[in-house]
Amino acid sequence: MNLPLAGALVGLAGGSGTLLTATAAPVLRRGPSLDDRLAPYLRDAPRPSRLLDPTPTVTPFPTLERLLRPVLSDATDLLERHIGGTASVRRRLEALGRGQGVPEFRVEQVVWAALGLLAALAAIGLGALTGKANPLSAVMLTVVGVVGGVLGRDYWLTVQVRRREAAMLAEFPTVAELLALAVAAGEGPVGAIERVCRLGSGELVRELSAVLAQTRAGTPLMAALASLRDRTGVEALARFVDGMVVAIERGTPLAEVLRAQAVDVREAGKRALLEAGGRREIAMMFPVVFLVLPVTVVFALYPGLFSLVTLAR
């Protein structure tokens, strides 16, 4: 290892130690709030240790995660203060329907950032072994690894929500027709939902099961359906719920409304397929125009060009 690289690594380690020492100094340390100071005197039972907190783990190493949970909690608080976006994250987590909260998601972001940092350190170490390391590139790789891990987890949450909404939209016509058949056979709205939940499976059926559970817990059916509409971002499902609510309130034949909603969703799916086909057709023109056509022109003109060059000699 050359001397400039060794000096850069020593300087980086010294600067990191100085920064950690400065941030952990009592003068700069954030003290406990008034609620934290008064809580032990106002509660009957003392606060349990954070190491014994029965919060579910989010990593494949539960023991290590419980040991490092105080550090992860401080890191999530720091991430929350600097990034924010809690409302958007909470809305997407509710649309995902897995019962995960914002703190658990922040912990996953910290874990992804740590993985990105490890990948950056591995790349820096590989560059140091090959003698091509650069202090500026090392700092840039570290920043990119950490920020990429945080943003990558947020992007993956968006991808998961989109996949779930697409699955719900694909299941919707069949579920709507099953509900229409159950209502036409004499079942009430709650009974039809219960029958569909008992016979079916999938993301939409899981959401209907949540509606049924809320109804059994005492929530009115209208409020449970409204919560389903607010949780999901599928426009067709929102129209379907609004149609059910209006039909139940006004006494409109519910079976006809459900069949009409199913037909509308199938027609919307057909239009979406036609639009996707048109976009794919346009996208297929790029390899044809920029790859296949130039090769064809070269094969067509090369023999004549070769003959002209031969005759010119």
Side-chain angles (χ1 to χ4, degrees):
M1 183 181 297
N2 52 7
L3 292 179
L5 179 59
L9 293 178
V10 171
L12 179 61
S16 302
T18 305
L19 180 62
L20 292 175
T21 304
T23 54
V27 179
L28 300 177
R29 188 184 306 167
R30 187 179 60 178
S33 61
L34 180 61
D35 295 337
D36 295 335
R37 291 198 299 266
L38 295 179
Y41 303 98
L42 299 178
R43 284 192 301 211
D44 296 334
R47 177 181 296 181
S49 174
R50 287 190 290 178
L51 296 176
L52 302 177
D53 189 9
T55 306
T57 58
V58 296
T59 61
F61 309 101
T63 303
L64 182 61
E65 180 180 349
R66 289 189 179 95
L67 291 174
L68 296 177
R69 183 164 293 164
V71 180
L72 292 176
S73 178
D74 296 338
T76 54
D77 293 340
L78 180 65
L79 191 65
E80 183 68 27
R81 287 198 303 269
H82 288 82
I83 293 182
T86 305
S88 175
V89 172
R90 184 179 293 110
R91 183 175 62 253
R92 284 178 292 170
L93 289 175
E94 291 177 355
L96 191 59
R98 293 184 180 178
Q100 187 181 20
V102 178
E104 290 81 5
F105 177 76
R106 294 302 187 192
V107 171
E108 291 185 0
Q109 280 188 309
V110 172
V111 173
W112 280 51
L115 294 177
L117 178 61
L118 290 177
L121 292 177
I124 293 171
L126 183 61
L129 291 176
T130 56
K132 298 180 180 179
N134 188 0
L136 181 60
S137 63
V139 173
M140 292 297 296
L141 278 175
T142 304
V143 173
V144 169
V146 174
V147 176
V150 174
L151 298 181
R153 182 64 187 94
D154 188 83
Y155 174 75
W156 181 245
L157 175 62
T158 305
V159 171
Q160 287 178 312
V161 172
R162 289 177 181 174
R163 289 180 179 177
R164 187 170 189 264
E165 290 179 352
M168 292 173 63
L169 189 60
E171 298 167 5
F172 178 72
T174 304
V175 172
E177 289 181 353
L178 287 175
L179 288 173
L181 289 175
V183 171
E187 294 277 1
V190 178
I193 294 175
E194 182 178 0
R195 183 177 295 275
V196 170
C197 293
R198 187 171 62 251
L199 297 177
S201 61
E203 299 295 337
L204 184 55
V205 174
R206 192 175 295 113
E207 289 291 339
L208 291 177
S209 300
V211 171
L212 187 61
Q214 292 178 3
T215 305
R216 289 173 176 172
T219 305
L221 180 60
M222 308 299 179
L225 291 175
S227 65
L228 170 62
R229 178 193 57 201
D230 297 336
R231 283 196 307 270
T232 58
V234 182
E235 184 179 356
L237 184 58
R239 291 197 303 267
F240 169 75
V241 172
D242 291 337
M244 283 190 64
V245 171
V246 171
I248 293 173
E249 289 179 347
R250 299 183 180 179
T252 308
L254 187 57
E256 298 298 330
V257 174
L258 296 177
R259 289 196 186 95
Q261 293 283 346
V263 171
D264 291 341
V265 172
R266 291 188 186 278
E267 293 297 329
K270 292 179 182 179
R271 290 194 297 270
L273 287 176
L274 291 175
E275 292 176 0
R279 290 193 296 268
R280 296 295 188 275
E281 184 178 359
I282 295 174
M284 288 174 59
M285 294 298 294
F286 286 95
V288 172
V289 172
F290 294 104
L291 295 178
V292 178
L293 186 59
V295 173
T296 305
V297 172
V298 169
F299 273 94
L301 297 179
Y302 182 75
L305 182 61
F306 182 76
S307 300
L308 291 176
V309 173
T310 304
L311 291 175
R313 291 179 179 176

